Amino acid sequence: MSAPHLGEIAPDFTAETTEGTVTFHSWKGDSWAVLFSHPADFTPVCTTELGRVATLESEWERRGVKVIAVSVDPLESHQGWKRDIAEVAGSEVGYPIIADETRAVSELYDMIHPGEGDTSGVRSVFVIDGSHKVRLTLTYPKSVGRNFDEILRAVDALQTTDRGPYSTPADWRAGERVVIAPAIPTAEARDRFGDVEELTPYLRYAAEPAR
Ligand code: BEZ
């Protein structure tokens, strides 16, 4: 199965998790979601990653994002590992971890990395919007822990640009200036956005309009 592409509906599934049985679409409802896979329980990099996601609970909530992790390890393993994560991170894992022993979810989202052992998923991330559309994907190798500040930043950028017509430039952070869509003439941009800085006819900056 190939990984879901940007703009496609994230495939639905029902799976056992540390928070009970989850049917993905009804669990997330019209919230955004971050679905992320990790190779194996009781491993160092994964422990730091799941701990970091747990400490960011209020940041996910603030953006209306539900997080859900997946690995092919069994439920009892996840439950034991959660205690280690809480101890290391200083935060309880309040989000579900899918026990994907049959690899049904991992295969549905193409999270298994050929040549890396037959049981482990790679470090995939799917950011899914309130309409269940896949909005961003990332795939990291086992050796490289993900940067969850970047995932939050990308969610901010997606949610901001949904209110466009504008995009976010390199290294943008929430609250910084946006770039106006090239299709909008500069005169119209000035009417709509007020102060517009025109660096080139196609690169125009403006403050994000108040919500
Ligand atoms: C880790 O998360 O550190 C890890 C995962 C899979 C294999 C080896 C290490």
Side-chain angles (χ1 to χ4, degrees):
M1 186 84 64
S2 70
H5 297 111
L6 299 188
E8 289 179 357
I9 296 296
D12 199 14
F13 58 81
T14 298
E16 294 311 312
T17 83
T18 49
E19 305 296 318
T21 305
V22 161
T23 297
F24 185 55
H25 285 188
S26 58
W27 169 80
K28 78 177 265 309
D30 59 7
S31 298
W32 287 56
V34 170
L35 169 68
F36 68 107
S37 60
H38 59 275
D41 294 1
F42 298 103
T43 53
V45 177
C46 297
T47 301
T48 63
E49 289 191 318
L50 273 80
R52 179 72 180 138
V53 171
T55 63
L56 291 170
E57 185 178 351
S58 60
E59 296 296 326
W60 305 118
E61 268 178 27
R62 200 152 67 77
R63 293 163 175 84
V65 176
K66 292 183 167 181
V67 288
I68 184 164
V70 55
S71 90
V72 298
D73 286 330
L75 205 51
E76 310 75 63
S77 165
H78 288 349
Q79 296 290 14
W81 185 39
K82 270 177 67 172
R83 290 191 280 277
D84 280 5
I85 298 168
E87 202 175 312
V88 170
S91 299
E92 296 289 333
V93 176
Y95 55 87
I97 309 175
I98 297 168
D100 191 30
E101 284 185 275
T102 64
R103 297 194 225 163
V105 176
S106 302
E107 284 172 5
L108 195 59
Y109 280 79
D110 196 22
M111 292 163 160
I112 304 286
H113 188 174
E116 286 290 311
D118 60 352
T119 59
S120 61
V122 282
R123 300 185 196 282
S124 300
V125 181
F126 292 86
V127 176
I128 299 159
D129 72 14
S131 310
H132 305 323
K133 267 195 194 145
V134 175
R135 300 295 301 276
L136 181 144
T137 65
L138 289 172
T139 307
Y140 276 48
K142 279 186 202 174
S143 56
V144 180
R146 286 158 286 196
N147 183 331
F148 290 93
D149 288 327
E150 165 57 12
I151 294 166
L152 286 168
R153 190 199 73 87
V155 169
D156 285 338
L158 287 164
Q159 293 182 344
T160 293
T161 56
D162 279 355
R163 296 185 288 270
Y166 38 76
S167 310
T168 56
D171 299 334
W172 175 91
R173 301 197 70 87
E176 292 180 355
R177 292 185 308 170
V178 294
V179 293
I180 296 156
I184 308 291
T186 299
E188 182 187 333
R190 293 205 156 101
D191 284 346
R192 291 176 70 163
F193 302 108
D195 200 17
V196 170
E197 185 188 4
E198 185 179 74
L199 272 71
T200 74
Y202 55 85
L203 175 55
R204 287 92 35 92
Y205 285 94
E208 187 195 347
R211 291 179 211 170

